[in-house]
Amino acid sequence: MLNLNGITVRLGGRTILNGATAALPPGSRVGLIGRNGAGKSTMVRVIAGLLEPDDGSADMPRGARIGYIAQEAPHGTATPFDTVLAADLERAELMHASETEQDAHKLGDIYERLIAIDAYTAPARAAQILIGLGFDEEMQAQPLDSFSGGWKMRVALAALLFSQPDLLLLDEPSNHLDLEAVMWLEDFLKGYQATIVVVSHERDFLNNVVDHILHLQDGKITLYPGGYDAFERQRAERMAQLAAAKASQDAQRAKLQEYVAKNSARASTAKQAQSRQKMLAKMQPIAEMANDPTLSFGFPDPTELRPPLITLDMASVGYSEVPILKRLNLRLDPDDRIALLGRNGNGKTTLARLLAAQLTPMDGGMSATSKMKVGYFTQYQVEELDTEDTPLEHMTRTMKGASPAAVRGQLGRFGFSGDKATTRVGKLSGGERARLALALITRDAPHLLILDEPTNHLDVDAREALVQALNDYSGAVVLVSHDRHMLELTADRLVLVDGGTAREFDGSIDDYIAFVLKGDAKPAAKAKKDKKAEAAAREREAALRKTVRELEEQTARLTRERNALDRAMFDPASAEPRFAKLSMGELSRQRADMQAKVEASEAKWLEASEALEVA
């Protein structure tokens, strides 16, 4: 299907691809992997026809359609639904022609072709893809310009999937997705009938989707059968073979060199020595597998603090006096490893910002240890790095008063030693910038690390190094990530942010995946629901929402009454006048009754909330 023939690309005086050659089987799903900066995106652009190679070619059957997401996100007043529908250019042209064509024979041909390409099921398919990527019915009808850049890129991905090209090119498609959308995308791609080439650094995604790995290293490509785990096993075997071959060659080289040194001056052995010298000259050195020093993450261990670090008690948080999350009850201890789960837009980042003290509670209580230091990582910090400065200048400015040795030491923990420390940020890869941001936020040994999508732009090896560093770190970690492999290896508590609150999820990541897939009931099945059933479901959901809202208000009212009784019992000077004449025994009895009412109301609220989630 796709033949890569000796592709060479030179950019800025540097050879990125050097005679890269491989033949991809028809209908294969190929994961293109390699270290950051190896040239994966360059290879994709060559295949897509957007970059002319200096030598070689990427060949496909004539007439094959290639699908690739443009760098610029779609924008304007069109809706996501209309944008996705318009991506099938043939359908759009035929639908227009069916409305304007007057010739009966031509009109018959048009209708025949429309039927052949399933044109009349297209709206349902478009809606199905958008639902899978997180767009509910209301979002599908909003103008593109009302969405953030990340959501616009989801629309671009939906349009690409809908267009069903013969060769589907995806360059890190999960970077703008949450875990739930990634799981849907995996399921979609496993059923895709044409050839796929996907650049990804997510081990689980590669294992679940691809059947071949195309490894790019030193400008060359090697095709391996199987998923990522199979590739790692084969690479380990290859490394062992290379090491053995190099050891054998080194021994042979030493033996030849010794012979030449001893026998060159003797007339009787000069010819043999010259022959061995030629053998040495022709011997191609076997390269060792590089031990990359940039695969370095080292979080400094914090001083010990008594638990808890943070306690939330019926807290609410949001923006501009509008709460996003309410009734938050959470305790965070010094050795906790918490993963925040839930779809984008449900409030994971809002909760992370509350824990980082970037937001304050609108209601309820939040207490935090006064000596606690927090390191909070977001993609915004990566994007805001000054491209003209060096890592050394960034760290020196951040670690005011620190010695040059301390500054260099912190940079060294994250692989910025030697020339790397004095390289301008503008010349660093996305993964290197992410490592620099992590180095900056951990400069003062924080007790709590809050990491919001830290793996974007990190390659597979760098992600493994980050997992190891987090497991070695002695502080607390709160993690938001769509990388299941990282969540499985680092988190021991799962907190689901959904339905306007956050609560512990009792189970593993696998349990959560099963929960999500069951709850989503597959977008295709949703699209086929009977209209009457949908209306009934909406009515049930509306009734449940009303019940939840009423129980929230009731619980808040009962809680205020209980707190008033507490003040009357323990601080009579601030008690309300209506409690002034009551005895301590009567106050205690009323307080016990009120506590029972609060607990009963909370139990009903929880039951209604859980029913609403599965409605």
Short mmCIF file of all heavy atoms in Angstrom, two decimals, residues 497-530:
data_model
loop_
_atom_site.label_atom_id
_atom_site.label_comp_id
_atom_site.label_asym_id
_atom_site.label_seq_id
_atom_site.Cartn_x
_atom_site.Cartn_y
_atom_site.Cartn_z
N VAL A 497 -14.07 13.09 38.76
CA VAL A 497 -14.65 14.44 38.73
C VAL A 497 -15.76 14.42 37.70
O VAL A 497 -15.51 14.34 36.49
CB VAL A 497 -13.58 15.49 38.37
CG1 VAL A 497 -14.18 16.89 38.41
CG2 VAL A 497 -12.39 15.40 39.33
N ASP A 498 -17.00 14.48 38.20
CA ASP A 498 -18.14 14.32 37.30
C ASP A 498 -19.39 14.79 38.03
O ASP A 498 -19.46 14.75 39.26
CB ASP A 498 -18.29 12.84 36.91
CG ASP A 498 -19.31 12.64 35.80
OD1 ASP A 498 -19.43 13.53 34.95
OD2 ASP A 498 -19.98 11.60 35.80
N GLY A 499 -20.36 15.28 37.27
CA GLY A 499 -21.63 15.67 37.87
C GLY A 499 -21.52 16.84 38.83
O GLY A 499 -22.32 16.95 39.76
N GLY A 500 -20.53 17.71 38.63
CA GLY A 500 -20.40 18.89 39.47
C GLY A 500 -19.75 18.65 40.81
O GLY A 500 -19.79 19.52 41.69
N THR A 501 -19.13 17.47 41.00
CA THR A 501 -18.44 17.19 42.26
C THR A 501 -17.30 16.22 41.98
O THR A 501 -17.02 15.88 40.83
CB THR A 501 -19.41 16.63 43.32
OG1 THR A 501 -18.75 16.60 44.59
CG2 THR A 501 -19.88 15.24 42.95
N ALA A 502 -16.62 15.79 43.04
CA ALA A 502 -15.54 14.81 42.92
C ALA A 502 -15.68 13.80 44.05
O ALA A 502 -15.97 14.17 45.18
CB ALA A 502 -14.18 15.51 42.99
N ARG A 503 -15.48 12.53 43.72
CA ARG A 503 -15.59 11.50 44.74
C ARG A 503 -14.62 10.37 44.40
O ARG A 503 -14.18 10.21 43.26
CB ARG A 503 -17.01 10.96 44.82
CG ARG A 503 -17.45 10.17 43.62
CD ARG A 503 -18.87 9.63 43.76
NE ARG A 503 -19.21 8.67 42.75
CZ ARG A 503 -19.59 8.97 41.52
NH1 ARG A 503 -19.66 10.23 41.15
NH2 ARG A 503 -19.89 8.01 40.65
N GLU A 504 -14.29 9.59 45.41
CA GLU A 504 -13.39 8.46 45.22
C GLU A 504 -14.03 7.45 44.26
O GLU A 504 -15.24 7.17 44.35
CB GLU A 504 -13.12 7.78 46.56
CG GLU A 504 -12.42 8.65 47.59
CD GLU A 504 -10.91 8.64 47.44
OE1 GLU A 504 -10.38 7.78 46.70
OE2 GLU A 504 -10.27 9.50 48.06
N PHE A 505 -13.22 6.93 43.33
CA PHE A 505 -13.68 5.85 42.46
C PHE A 505 -13.12 4.55 43.01
O PHE A 505 -11.91 4.36 43.09
CB PHE A 505 -13.21 6.07 41.02
CG PHE A 505 -13.69 5.01 40.06
CD1 PHE A 505 -14.95 5.10 39.49
CD2 PHE A 505 -12.90 3.91 39.76
CE1 PHE A 505 -15.41 4.12 38.63
CE2 PHE A 505 -13.34 2.93 38.89
CZ PHE A 505 -14.61 3.04 38.33
N ASP A 506 -14.01 3.66 43.40
CA ASP A 506 -13.60 2.41 44.03
C ASP A 506 -13.31 1.36 42.97
O ASP A 506 -14.21 0.69 42.48
CB ASP A 506 -14.70 1.92 44.99
CG ASP A 506 -14.25 0.70 45.79
OD1 ASP A 506 -13.04 0.46 45.84
OD2 ASP A 506 -15.12 0.01 46.35
N GLY A 507 -12.05 1.23 42.59
CA GLY A 507 -11.67 0.27 41.57
C GLY A 507 -10.35 0.66 40.94
O GLY A 507 -9.69 1.62 41.35
N SER A 508 -9.96 -0.09 39.92
CA SER A 508 -8.70 0.15 39.21
C SER A 508 -8.96 0.95 37.93
O SER A 508 -10.10 1.24 37.59
CB SER A 508 -8.05 -1.18 38.85
OG SER A 508 -8.87 -1.88 37.91
N ILE A 509 -7.87 1.27 37.22
CA ILE A 509 -8.01 1.93 35.92
C ILE A 509 -8.80 1.05 34.96
O ILE A 509 -9.66 1.54 34.20
CB ILE A 509 -6.63 2.26 35.33
CG1 ILE A 509 -5.96 3.39 36.13
CG2 ILE A 509 -6.74 2.68 33.87
CD1 ILE A 509 -6.65 4.73 36.00
N ASP A 510 -8.55 -0.25 34.99
CA ASP A 510 -9.31 -1.17 34.13
C ASP A 510 -10.80 -1.13 34.47
O ASP A 510 -11.65 -1.17 33.57
CB ASP A 510 -8.77 -2.59 34.27
CG ASP A 510 -7.43 -2.78 33.57
OD1 ASP A 510 -7.12 -1.96 32.69
OD2 ASP A 510 -6.71 -3.73 33.91
N ASP A 511 -11.11 -1.05 35.77
CA ASP A 511 -12.51 -0.94 36.18
C ASP A 511 -13.13 0.35 35.65
O ASP A 511 -14.29 0.37 35.21
CB ASP A 511 -12.64 -0.97 37.71
CG ASP A 511 -12.21 -2.31 38.30
OD1 ASP A 511 -12.42 -3.34 37.62
OD2 ASP A 511 -11.68 -2.33 39.41
N TYR A 512 -12.35 1.42 35.69
CA TYR A 512 -12.86 2.70 35.20
C TYR A 512 -13.11 2.65 33.70
O TYR A 512 -14.13 3.16 33.21
CB TYR A 512 -11.88 3.83 35.52
CG TYR A 512 -12.33 5.17 35.02
CD1 TYR A 512 -13.46 5.79 35.54
CD2 TYR A 512 -11.65 5.81 33.98
CE1 TYR A 512 -13.90 7.01 35.06
CE2 TYR A 512 -12.09 7.03 33.50
CZ TYR A 512 -13.20 7.63 34.04
OH TYR A 512 -13.64 8.84 33.56
N ILE A 513 -12.20 2.03 32.96
CA ILE A 513 -12.38 1.90 31.51
C ILE A 513 -13.66 1.11 31.21
O ILE A 513 -14.47 1.50 30.35
CB ILE A 513 -11.15 1.21 30.87
CG1 ILE A 513 -9.93 2.13 30.94
CG2 ILE A 513 -11.44 0.80 29.43
CD1 ILE A 513 -8.64 1.47 30.54
N ALA A 514 -13.88 0.02 31.95
CA ALA A 514 -15.10 -0.76 31.75
C ALA A 514 -16.33 0.08 32.10
O ALA A 514 -17.35 0.02 31.41
CB ALA A 514 -15.05 -2.02 32.62
N PHE A 515 -16.21 0.88 33.15
CA PHE A 515 -17.31 1.76 33.57
C PHE A 515 -17.65 2.77 32.48
O PHE A 515 -18.81 2.99 32.15
CB PHE A 515 -16.90 2.46 34.86
CG PHE A 515 -17.75 3.65 35.25
CD1 PHE A 515 -19.00 3.47 35.81
CD2 PHE A 515 -17.28 4.93 35.05
CE1 PHE A 515 -19.77 4.57 36.17
CE2 PHE A 515 -18.04 6.04 35.41
CZ PHE A 515 -19.30 5.84 35.97
N VAL A 516 -16.61 3.37 31.89
CA VAL A 516 -16.82 4.38 30.85
C VAL A 516 -17.43 3.75 29.60
O VAL A 516 -18.40 4.27 29.04
CB VAL A 516 -15.49 5.08 30.50
CG1 VAL A 516 -15.64 5.92 29.24
CG2 VAL A 516 -15.04 5.95 31.66
N LEU A 517 -16.87 2.62 29.17
CA LEU A 517 -17.37 1.99 27.96
C LEU A 517 -18.81 1.52 28.14
O LEU A 517 -19.63 1.63 27.23
CB LEU A 517 -16.47 0.81 27.57
CG LEU A 517 -15.06 1.19 27.12
CD1 LEU A 517 -14.24 -0.05 26.82
CD2 LEU A 517 -15.09 2.10 25.89
N LYS A 518 -19.13 1.04 29.31
CA LYS A 518 -20.50 0.62 29.58
C LYS A 518 -21.43 1.82 29.65
O LYS A 518 -22.53 1.83 29.10
CB LYS A 518 -20.57 -0.15 30.90
CG LYS A 518 -21.97 -0.62 31.27
CD LYS A 518 -21.97 -1.35 32.60
CE LYS A 518 -23.38 -1.77 32.98
NZ LYS A 518 -23.40 -2.45 34.30
N GLY A 519 -20.96 2.89 30.29
CA GLY A 519 -21.77 4.09 30.43
C GLY A 519 -22.02 4.78 29.10
O GLY A 519 -23.09 5.32 28.87
N ASP A 520 -21.02 4.74 28.21
CA ASP A 520 -21.18 5.39 26.91
C ASP A 520 -22.11 4.60 26.01
O ASP A 520 -22.70 5.15 25.08
CB ASP A 520 -19.82 5.54 26.22
CG ASP A 520 -19.14 6.83 26.62
OD1 ASP A 520 -19.78 7.63 27.30
OD2 ASP A 520 -17.97 7.01 26.25
N ALA A 521 -22.24 3.31 26.29
CA ALA A 521 -23.13 2.43 25.52
C ALA A 521 -22.89 2.51 24.02
O ALA A 521 -23.78 2.27 23.23
CB ALA A 521 -24.59 2.77 25.82
N LYS A 522 -21.65 2.87 23.66
CA LYS A 522 -21.23 3.01 22.26
C LYS A 522 -22.04 4.09 21.54
O LYS A 522 -23.26 4.04 21.48
CB LYS A 522 -21.36 1.71 21.48
CG LYS A 522 -20.56 0.57 22.07
CD LYS A 522 -19.09 0.74 21.83
CE LYS A 522 -18.33 -0.46 22.34
NZ LYS A 522 -16.91 -0.29 22.27
N PRO A 523 -21.38 5.11 21.00
CA PRO A 523 -22.09 6.16 20.29
C PRO A 523 -22.99 5.63 19.19
O PRO A 523 -24.06 6.17 18.95
CB PRO A 523 -20.96 7.01 19.71
CG PRO A 523 -19.80 6.77 20.64
CD PRO A 523 -19.94 5.35 21.10
N ALA A 524 -22.60 4.56 18.51
CA ALA A 524 -23.42 4.02 17.42
C ALA A 524 -24.77 3.57 17.95
O ALA A 524 -25.80 3.79 17.34
CB ALA A 524 -22.69 2.86 16.76
N ALA A 525 -24.75 2.92 19.12
CA ALA A 525 -26.01 2.45 19.69
C ALA A 525 -26.86 3.63 20.13
O ALA A 525 -28.07 3.64 19.98
CB ALA A 525 -25.72 1.53 20.87
N LYS A 526 -26.21 4.67 20.68
CA LYS A 526 -26.97 5.85 21.10
C LYS A 526 -27.67 6.49 19.91
O LYS A 526 -28.81 6.94 20.02
CB LYS A 526 -26.01 6.86 21.74
CG LYS A 526 -25.70 6.57 23.19
CD LYS A 526 -24.93 7.74 23.79
CE LYS A 526 -24.71 7.55 25.27
NZ LYS A 526 -24.02 8.66 25.88
N ALA A 527 -26.98 6.53 18.78
CA ALA A 527 -27.56 7.19 17.61
C ALA A 527 -28.81 6.48 17.11
O ALA A 527 -29.65 7.08 16.46
CB ALA A 527 -26.52 7.26 16.50
N LYS A 528 -28.93 5.19 17.45
CA LYS A 528 -30.05 4.41 16.95
C LYS A 528 -31.21 4.31 17.95
O LYS A 528 -32.16 3.59 17.74
CB LYS A 528 -29.57 3.00 16.60
CG LYS A 528 -28.55 2.99 15.47
CD LYS A 528 -28.00 1.60 15.26
CE LYS A 528 -26.93 1.59 14.18
NZ LYS A 528 -26.33 0.25 14.01
N LYS A 529 -31.10 5.01 19.08
CA LYS A 529 -32.17 4.94 20.09
C LYS A 529 -33.49 5.43 19.50
O LYS A 529 -33.53 6.35 18.71
CB LYS A 529 -31.80 5.78 21.30
CG LYS A 529 -30.87 5.09 22.29
CD LYS A 529 -30.68 5.99 23.50
CE LYS A 529 -29.79 5.34 24.54
NZ LYS A 529 -29.58 6.21 25.70
N ASP A 530 -34.54 4.78 19.96
CA ASP A 530 -35.87 5.20 19.56
C ASP A 530 -36.16 6.60 20.10
O ASP A 530 -35.83 6.93 21.23
CB ASP A 530 -36.88 4.20 20.12
CG ASP A 530 -38.30 4.56 19.73
OD1 ASP A 530 -38.70 4.26 18.59
OD2 ASP A 530 -38.99 5.15 20.57
#
